[in-house]
Amino acid sequence: MVEGVKTCLGGLHSAKICLYSVDFHEIEWLQQQAKWQEAGRILADAAKAIEVGGAGFLLICSNTMHKVAPLIESEISIPLLHIADATAQQLIADGVTRVGLLGTRFTMEQDFYKEKLIKQYHIDVVVPEPAEREMVDRVIFSELCLGNVNPASRDAYLKVMDSMHARGAQAIILGCTEIDLLISSKYTDIPLYDTTAIHCAAAVQSAIQE
C-alpha cells in the first residue's frame, strides 16, 4: 500500500496506515476449535481501535477471517473494504466467469467467501477435491505460515490448479495471503488473482479517492 500510494501520488508521498497486529497463534487456535465468535471479538476490538485511531475505512488482512466480517462491521461505523469484493470486481473486469479457489479449508469449504462470488457477482467457483483441500490447507498452516517454501509443495499446488483448470476454471484465486510465497505467474500459464495484491490496490484507490 505504501508503494501504491507513492506510485499514484509521486514525490515523497506514502500511505497513512493505522495498523493493529494481532497474535496469530491465538487466532489460529480459535479457528481450529471453530470458536469463530471469540476470534471475531478479538478482531472487532482491533477494528474499533483502528477506527478511534482515525482510519477512514478498514481492511481485514486475511481471507479466512472475513468469515467474521459481519460481526466486525456491526461494531464499527467506518466501511469495510472486503477482500472478496475487490477480487470479484477484478475478475468481472477481466471477463472471468468461472474461477478456481485456493485457500484454507475454511475458505474453500465454507460459504462466507464462495457465496459472495456466486450470489452477488454470479461467478462460478471451482474448489479442489477433498484430499487436495486437505493438502492445500496443511501446506498453508504447517509451511507457509512459518515462512517455509517447499518446492515439492509448489508442485502439488500446481497439479491441483491444473485439475481445476481442466474442470473449467479460467483463472485461479490465491485466496490466502500466504500462497503468493509459493505460487506466482512464473510457474503457470493459468491466470492468477493474488488477493493480497488486489486488496492492497483497492485500498490505495479508496484512500486516494477519499
Side-chain angles (χ1 to χ4, degrees), residues 42-134:
I42 293 174
L43 266 64
D45 289 343
K48 287 188 287 187
I50 286 173
E51 182 174 13
V52 170
F57 60 93
L58 177 73
L59 280 75
I60 304 170
C61 301
S62 159
N63 286 271
T64 299
M65 290 311 295
H66 279 75
K67 178 177 174 66
V68 298
L71 187 159
I72 295 169
E73 287 181 295
S74 71
E75 296 284 334
I76 57 177
S77 59
I78 57 175
L80 170 68
L81 181 57
H82 199 293
I83 197 168
D85 285 326
T87 302
Q89 289 159 10
Q90 187 62 59
L91 289 166
I92 289 172
D94 294 343
V96 176
T97 57
R98 185 171 174 83
V99 68
L101 176 62
L102 293 177
T104 66
R105 60 187 172 88
F106 310 112
T107 301
M108 293 185 289
E109 295 176 358
Q110 298 182 19
D111 289 338
F112 68 92
Y113 199 100
K114 294 184 297 184
E115 287 302 295
K116 179 176 278 287
L117 299 180
I118 294 167
K119 292 184 177 180
Q120 187 171 339
Y121 294 98
H122 310 293
I123 298 171
D124 291 333
V125 178
V126 179
V127 297
E129 300 295 342
E132 295 172 333
R133 294 198 298 267
E134 189 280 329

Side-chain angles (χ1 to χ4, degrees), residues 146-174:
L146 298 173
N148 298 327
V149 179
N150 187 336
S153 297
R154 177 182 295 118
D155 292 341
Y157 266 51
L158 291 171
K159 288 180 181 178
V160 172
M161 292 163 55
D162 287 341
S163 176
M164 290 192 291
H165 185 56
R167 292 159 55 201
Q170 300 162 275
I172 304 294
I173 295 174
L174 305 184

Side-chain angles (χ1 to χ4, degrees), residues 196-210:
T196 305
I198 291 169
H199 206 198
C200 285
V204 168
Q205 290 304 311
S206 294
I208 289 174
Q209 290 169 8
E210 185 172 294

